[in-house]
Amino acid sequence: MKPAVPRPDLVYTFRPALFRRAQQWTLSGDHITGPGGTIALNLVSDAALIQMRSGGGRVIRFDLASGGKTTRMQITTSARRRTPDADQQQYLAMISETAARLAQQVPGLTYRMEESGRARLTRFLIGSALLMIGLALTGYAFLTLYNRILLLLAALPFLATTKIIGGALIYRFWPLRQPESFPIATLPFILWTMGGPRPEGIPMDQSTPMS
């Protein structure tokens, strides 16, 4: 049986945001090195791919936890862009290759696509506060503006939006529901649907999911 051929060292350079300096990350064997230091892939115990949208921006974050330390790889792009720009392509390629190496180094590793722990609880509490504020303001508006129907009607969209956002946050980040986990080997395929590189094993004649 032939020994596995070591993967070559790879260097990725991208700007994490429009007005930020470019970052350089290096994949060397079973280590990845970047602005936050070096992490050994074979010691990774937890992984997460998180996506968030705010206004016209889209944040993609890849977290790797090892020995109580979390290494974060993040990029912010335009939510309106249908195809990845050069920075996002570099970022997605880096995450895809990192996931492929993790699948070799830690075959049983899984990743999630939702927040967990303190971050999840914080968003749940924010949602709860928004919902309570929305309900309280709705009651106040009906008590004080019942004889000023136009003002009451003008306030209803804001009140409804506040309660909907609060309810959505509560539902999504309910602390007693554990985020679903997926095998790390599937992550390159997810990234491919986001405009990342074609994973190994996909026929060349198969079109990109984004096309």
PDB file of all heavy atoms in Angstrom, residues 28-55:
ATOM      1  N   SER A  28      -0.018  24.492   5.735  1.00  0.00           N
ATOM      2  CA  SER A  28       1.217  23.727   5.604  1.00  0.00           C
ATOM      3  C   SER A  28       1.035  22.392   6.308  1.00  0.00           C
ATOM      4  O   SER A  28       1.008  22.337   7.546  1.00  0.00           O
ATOM      5  CB  SER A  28       2.389  24.503   6.224  1.00  0.00           C
ATOM      6  OG  SER A  28       3.593  23.755   6.128  1.00  0.00           O
ATOM      7  N   GLY A  29       0.858  21.341   5.529  1.00  0.00           N
ATOM      8  CA  GLY A  29       0.629  20.030   6.112  1.00  0.00           C
ATOM      9  C   GLY A  29      -0.636  20.009   6.931  1.00  0.00           C
ATOM     10  O   GLY A  29      -1.725  20.274   6.430  1.00  0.00           O
ATOM     11  N   ASP A  30      -0.490  19.710   8.244  1.00  0.00           N
ATOM     12  CA  ASP A  30      -1.662  19.665   9.115  1.00  0.00           C
ATOM     13  C   ASP A  30      -1.745  20.896  10.009  1.00  0.00           C
ATOM     14  O   ASP A  30      -2.320  20.839  11.102  1.00  0.00           O
ATOM     15  CB  ASP A  30      -1.644  18.389   9.956  1.00  0.00           C
ATOM     16  CG  ASP A  30      -0.415  18.308  10.857  1.00  0.00           C
ATOM     17  OD1 ASP A  30       0.468  19.180  10.732  1.00  0.00           O
ATOM     18  OD2 ASP A  30      -0.346  17.385  11.695  1.00  0.00           O
ATOM     19  N   HIS A  31      -1.187  22.023   9.542  1.00  0.00           N
ATOM     20  CA  HIS A  31      -1.259  23.279  10.288  1.00  0.00           C
ATOM     21  C   HIS A  31      -1.765  24.400   9.382  1.00  0.00           C
ATOM     22  O   HIS A  31      -1.499  24.401   8.176  1.00  0.00           O
ATOM     23  CB  HIS A  31       0.113  23.675  10.855  1.00  0.00           C
ATOM     24  CG  HIS A  31       0.586  22.806  11.968  1.00  0.00           C
ATOM     25  ND1 HIS A  31       1.055  21.524  11.756  1.00  0.00           N
ATOM     26  CD2 HIS A  31       0.644  23.017  13.321  1.00  0.00           C
ATOM     27  CE1 HIS A  31       1.408  20.992  12.922  1.00  0.00           C
ATOM     28  NE2 HIS A  31       1.165  21.872  13.879  1.00  0.00           N
ATOM     29  N   ILE A  32      -2.505  25.332   9.980  1.00  0.00           N
ATOM     30  CA  ILE A  32      -2.883  26.537   9.260  1.00  0.00           C
ATOM     31  C   ILE A  32      -2.444  27.731  10.106  1.00  0.00           C
ATOM     32  O   ILE A  32      -2.651  27.763  11.321  1.00  0.00           O
ATOM     33  CB  ILE A  32      -4.398  26.594   8.961  1.00  0.00           C
ATOM     34  CG1 ILE A  32      -4.715  27.854   8.139  1.00  0.00           C
ATOM     35  CG2 ILE A  32      -5.239  26.535  10.226  1.00  0.00           C
ATOM     36  CD1 ILE A  32      -6.100  27.844   7.532  1.00  0.00           C
ATOM     37  N   THR A  33      -1.793  28.678   9.438  1.00  0.00           N
ATOM     38  CA  THR A  33      -1.230  29.839  10.122  1.00  0.00           C
ATOM     39  C   THR A  33      -1.795  31.112   9.523  1.00  0.00           C
ATOM     40  O   THR A  33      -1.842  31.269   8.300  1.00  0.00           O
ATOM     41  CB  THR A  33       0.309  29.855   9.995  1.00  0.00           C
ATOM     42  OG1 THR A  33       0.839  28.638  10.536  1.00  0.00           O
ATOM     43  CG2 THR A  33       0.906  31.035  10.750  1.00  0.00           C
ATOM     44  N   GLY A  34      -2.225  32.014  10.401  1.00  0.00           N
ATOM     45  CA  GLY A  34      -2.774  33.288   9.952  1.00  0.00           C
ATOM     46  C   GLY A  34      -2.545  34.363  10.977  1.00  0.00           C
ATOM     47  O   GLY A  34      -1.712  34.204  11.883  1.00  0.00           O
ATOM     48  N   PRO A  35      -3.274  35.471  10.869  1.00  0.00           N
ATOM     49  CA  PRO A  35      -3.098  36.588  11.801  1.00  0.00           C
ATOM     50  C   PRO A  35      -3.287  36.197  13.270  1.00  0.00           C
ATOM     51  O   PRO A  35      -2.693  36.806  14.157  1.00  0.00           O
ATOM     52  CB  PRO A  35      -4.175  37.588  11.363  1.00  0.00           C
ATOM     53  CG  PRO A  35      -4.435  37.262   9.932  1.00  0.00           C
ATOM     54  CD  PRO A  35      -4.269  35.787   9.818  1.00  0.00           C
ATOM     55  N   GLY A  36      -4.093  35.202  13.529  1.00  0.00           N
ATOM     56  CA  GLY A  36      -4.342  34.791  14.909  1.00  0.00           C
ATOM     57  C   GLY A  36      -3.388  33.749  15.440  1.00  0.00           C
ATOM     58  O   GLY A  36      -3.553  33.269  16.562  1.00  0.00           O
ATOM     59  N   GLY A  37      -2.383  33.363  14.642  1.00  0.00           N
ATOM     60  CA  GLY A  37      -1.439  32.349  15.065  1.00  0.00           C
ATOM     61  C   GLY A  37      -1.588  31.071  14.265  1.00  0.00           C
ATOM     62  O   GLY A  37      -2.152  31.055  13.162  1.00  0.00           O
ATOM     63  N   THR A  38      -1.096  29.961  14.830  1.00  0.00           N
ATOM     64  CA  THR A  38      -1.097  28.663  14.153  1.00  0.00           C
ATOM     65  C   THR A  38      -1.964  27.678  14.918  1.00  0.00           C
ATOM     66  O   THR A  38      -1.963  27.653  16.153  1.00  0.00           O
ATOM     67  CB  THR A  38       0.341  28.106  14.054  1.00  0.00           C
ATOM     68  OG1 THR A  38       1.147  29.010  13.301  1.00  0.00           O
ATOM     69  CG2 THR A  38       0.346  26.746  13.378  1.00  0.00           C
ATOM     70  N   ILE A  39      -2.721  26.889  14.165  1.00  0.00           N
ATOM     71  CA  ILE A  39      -3.546  25.849  14.778  1.00  0.00           C
ATOM     72  C   ILE A  39      -3.251  24.523  14.093  1.00  0.00           C
ATOM     73  O   ILE A  39      -3.126  24.458  12.861  1.00  0.00           O
ATOM     74  CB  ILE A  39      -5.055  26.194  14.689  1.00  0.00           C
ATOM     75  CG1 ILE A  39      -5.895  25.137  15.409  1.00  0.00           C
ATOM     76  CG2 ILE A  39      -5.504  26.364  13.251  1.00  0.00           C
ATOM     77  CD1 ILE A  39      -7.357  25.511  15.557  1.00  0.00           C
ATOM     78  N   ALA A  40      -3.090  23.485  14.902  1.00  0.00           N
ATOM     79  CA  ALA A  40      -2.867  22.136  14.374  1.00  0.00           C
ATOM     80  C   ALA A  40      -4.201  21.507  14.030  1.00  0.00           C
ATOM     81  O   ALA A  40      -5.065  21.366  14.904  1.00  0.00           O
ATOM     82  CB  ALA A  40      -2.116  21.290  15.398  1.00  0.00           C
ATOM     83  N   LEU A  41      -4.386  21.152  12.775  1.00  0.00           N
ATOM     84  CA  LEU A  41      -5.673  20.627  12.337  1.00  0.00           C
ATOM     85  C   LEU A  41      -6.019  19.307  13.019  1.00  0.00           C
ATOM     86  O   LEU A  41      -7.197  19.017  13.265  1.00  0.00           O
ATOM     87  CB  LEU A  41      -5.675  20.459  10.816  1.00  0.00           C
ATOM     88  CG  LEU A  41      -5.455  21.741   9.990  1.00  0.00           C
ATOM     89  CD1 LEU A  41      -5.525  21.438   8.502  1.00  0.00           C
ATOM     90  CD2 LEU A  41      -6.476  22.808  10.369  1.00  0.00           C
ATOM     91  N   ASN A  42      -5.014  18.507  13.332  1.00  0.00           N
ATOM     92  CA  ASN A  42      -5.302  17.209  13.941  1.00  0.00           C
ATOM     93  C   ASN A  42      -5.754  17.325  15.394  1.00  0.00           C
ATOM     94  O   ASN A  42      -6.173  16.348  16.001  1.00  0.00           O
ATOM     95  CB  ASN A  42      -4.078  16.294  13.845  1.00  0.00           C
ATOM     96  CG  ASN A  42      -2.876  16.870  14.578  1.00  0.00           C
ATOM     97  OD1 ASN A  42      -2.758  18.083  14.741  1.00  0.00           O
ATOM     98  ND2 ASN A  42      -1.978  16.001  15.015  1.00  0.00           N
ATOM     99  N   LEU A  43      -5.698  18.551  15.942  1.00  0.00           N
ATOM    100  CA  LEU A  43      -6.149  18.771  17.317  1.00  0.00           C
ATOM    101  C   LEU A  43      -7.488  19.516  17.381  1.00  0.00           C
ATOM    102  O   LEU A  43      -7.973  19.825  18.470  1.00  0.00           O
ATOM    103  CB  LEU A  43      -5.095  19.558  18.108  1.00  0.00           C
ATOM    104  CG  LEU A  43      -3.726  18.882  18.254  1.00  0.00           C
ATOM    105  CD1 LEU A  43      -2.783  19.779  19.039  1.00  0.00           C
ATOM    106  CD2 LEU A  43      -3.857  17.511  18.922  1.00  0.00           C
ATOM    107  N   VAL A  44      -8.083  19.801  16.228  1.00  0.00           N
ATOM    108  CA  VAL A  44      -9.351  20.535  16.192  1.00  0.00           C
ATOM    109  C   VAL A  44     -10.467  19.663  16.768  1.00  0.00           C
ATOM    110  O   VAL A  44     -10.618  18.495  16.398  1.00  0.00           O
ATOM    111  CB  VAL A  44      -9.691  20.970  14.751  1.00  0.00           C
ATOM    112  CG1 VAL A  44     -11.113  21.525  14.675  1.00  0.00           C
ATOM    113  CG2 VAL A  44      -8.702  22.029  14.279  1.00  0.00           C
ATOM    114  N   SER A  45     -11.224  20.234  17.685  1.00  0.00           N
ATOM    115  CA  SER A  45     -12.309  19.481  18.335  1.00  0.00           C
ATOM    116  C   SER A  45     -13.693  19.999  17.964  1.00  0.00           C
ATOM    117  O   SER A  45     -14.700  19.330  18.233  1.00  0.00           O
ATOM    118  CB  SER A  45     -12.143  19.549  19.857  1.00  0.00           C
ATOM    119  OG  SER A  45     -12.139  20.910  20.299  1.00  0.00           O
ATOM    120  N   ASP A  46     -13.769  21.182  17.361  1.00  0.00           N
ATOM    121  CA  ASP A  46     -15.074  21.755  17.033  1.00  0.00           C
ATOM    122  C   ASP A  46     -14.907  22.700  15.851  1.00  0.00           C
ATOM    123  O   ASP A  46     -13.888  23.393  15.725  1.00  0.00           O
ATOM    124  CB  ASP A  46     -15.653  22.514  18.222  1.00  0.00           C
ATOM    125  CG  ASP A  46     -17.074  23.004  17.975  1.00  0.00           C
ATOM    126  OD1 ASP A  46     -17.968  22.157  17.796  1.00  0.00           O
ATOM    127  OD2 ASP A  46     -17.284  24.222  17.935  1.00  0.00           O
ATOM    128  N   ALA A  47     -15.916  22.737  14.976  1.00  0.00           N
ATOM    129  CA  ALA A  47     -15.867  23.609  13.794  1.00  0.00           C
ATOM    130  C   ALA A  47     -17.256  24.160  13.517  1.00  0.00           C
ATOM    131  O   ALA A  47     -18.268  23.519  13.811  1.00  0.00           O
ATOM    132  CB  ALA A  47     -15.347  22.842  12.575  1.00  0.00           C
ATOM    133  N   ALA A  48     -17.288  25.362  12.940  1.00  0.00           N
ATOM    134  CA  ALA A  48     -18.577  25.985  12.635  1.00  0.00           C
ATOM    135  C   ALA A  48     -18.423  26.893  11.428  1.00  0.00           C
ATOM    136  O   ALA A  48     -17.424  27.616  11.304  1.00  0.00           O
ATOM    137  CB  ALA A  48     -19.097  26.779  13.824  1.00  0.00           C
ATOM    138  N   LEU A  49     -19.402  26.854  10.540  1.00  0.00           N
ATOM    139  CA  LEU A  49     -19.495  27.779   9.414  1.00  0.00           C
ATOM    140  C   LEU A  49     -20.749  28.613   9.637  1.00  0.00           C
ATOM    141  O   LEU A  49     -21.860  28.105   9.558  1.00  0.00           O
ATOM    142  CB  LEU A  49     -19.577  27.033   8.079  1.00  0.00           C
ATOM    143  CG  LEU A  49     -19.717  27.934   6.847  1.00  0.00           C
ATOM    144  CD1 LEU A  49     -18.408  28.670   6.563  1.00  0.00           C
ATOM    145  CD2 LEU A  49     -20.127  27.127   5.614  1.00  0.00           C
ATOM    146  N   ILE A  50     -20.564  29.894   9.927  1.00  0.00           N
ATOM    147  CA  ILE A  50     -21.667  30.778  10.278  1.00  0.00           C
ATOM    148  C   ILE A  50     -21.817  31.843   9.196  1.00  0.00           C
ATOM    149  O   ILE A  50     -20.824  32.445   8.754  1.00  0.00           O
ATOM    150  CB  ILE A  50     -21.432  31.464  11.643  1.00  0.00           C
ATOM    151  CG1 ILE A  50     -21.092  30.420  12.717  1.00  0.00           C
ATOM    152  CG2 ILE A  50     -22.625  32.301  12.035  1.00  0.00           C
ATOM    153  CD1 ILE A  50     -22.213  29.455  13.016  1.00  0.00           C
ATOM    154  N   GLN A  51     -23.056  32.071   8.772  1.00  0.00           N
ATOM    155  CA  GLN A  51     -23.348  33.144   7.817  1.00  0.00           C
ATOM    156  C   GLN A  51     -24.391  34.083   8.427  1.00  0.00           C
ATOM    157  O   GLN A  51     -25.364  33.631   9.025  1.00  0.00           O
ATOM    158  CB  GLN A  51     -23.896  32.573   6.507  1.00  0.00           C
ATOM    159  CG  GLN A  51     -22.919  31.692   5.757  1.00  0.00           C
ATOM    160  CD  GLN A  51     -23.456  31.311   4.386  1.00  0.00           C
ATOM    161  OE1 GLN A  51     -23.535  32.136   3.480  1.00  0.00           O
ATOM    162  NE2 GLN A  51     -23.810  30.053   4.223  1.00  0.00           N
ATOM    163  N   MET A  52     -24.146  35.368   8.268  1.00  0.00           N
ATOM    164  CA  MET A  52     -25.073  36.373   8.770  1.00  0.00           C
ATOM    165  C   MET A  52     -25.219  37.476   7.736  1.00  0.00           C
ATOM    166  O   MET A  52     -24.271  37.806   7.032  1.00  0.00           O
ATOM    167  CB  MET A  52     -24.571  36.963  10.091  1.00  0.00           C
ATOM    168  CG  MET A  52     -24.500  35.970  11.231  1.00  0.00           C
ATOM    169  SD  MET A  52     -23.836  36.722  12.746  1.00  0.00           S
ATOM    170  CE  MET A  52     -22.115  36.947  12.274  1.00  0.00           C
ATOM    171  N   ARG A  53     -26.408  38.049   7.659  1.00  0.00           N
ATOM    172  CA  ARG A  53     -26.676  39.185   6.779  1.00  0.00           C
ATOM    173  C   ARG A  53     -27.154  40.363   7.599  1.00  0.00           C
ATOM    174  O   ARG A  53     -27.960  40.206   8.509  1.00  0.00           O
ATOM    175  CB  ARG A  53     -27.715  38.828   5.710  1.00  0.00           C
ATOM    176  CG  ARG A  53     -27.241  37.755   4.757  1.00  0.00           C
ATOM    177  CD  ARG A  53     -28.079  37.710   3.504  1.00  0.00           C
ATOM    178  NE  ARG A  53     -27.600  36.709   2.567  1.00  0.00           N
ATOM    179  CZ  ARG A  53     -27.896  36.694   1.278  1.00  0.00           C
ATOM    180  NH1 ARG A  53     -28.682  37.624   0.782  1.00  0.00           N
ATOM    181  NH2 ARG A  53     -27.430  35.745   0.490  1.00  0.00           N
ATOM    182  N   SER A  54     -26.633  41.530   7.258  1.00  0.00           N
ATOM    183  CA  SER A  54     -27.037  42.756   7.929  1.00  0.00           C
ATOM    184  C   SER A  54     -27.029  43.871   6.892  1.00  0.00           C
ATOM    185  O   SER A  54     -25.966  44.244   6.382  1.00  0.00           O
ATOM    186  CB  SER A  54     -26.087  43.079   9.084  1.00  0.00           C
ATOM    187  OG  SER A  54     -26.451  44.299   9.696  1.00  0.00           O
ATOM    188  N   GLY A  55     -28.218  44.379   6.574  1.00  0.00           N
ATOM    189  CA  GLY A  55     -28.307  45.401   5.534  1.00  0.00           C
ATOM    190  C   GLY A  55     -27.845  44.831   4.205  1.00  0.00           C
ATOM    191  O   GLY A  55     -28.309  43.796   3.746  1.00  0.00           O
TER     192      GLY A  55
END
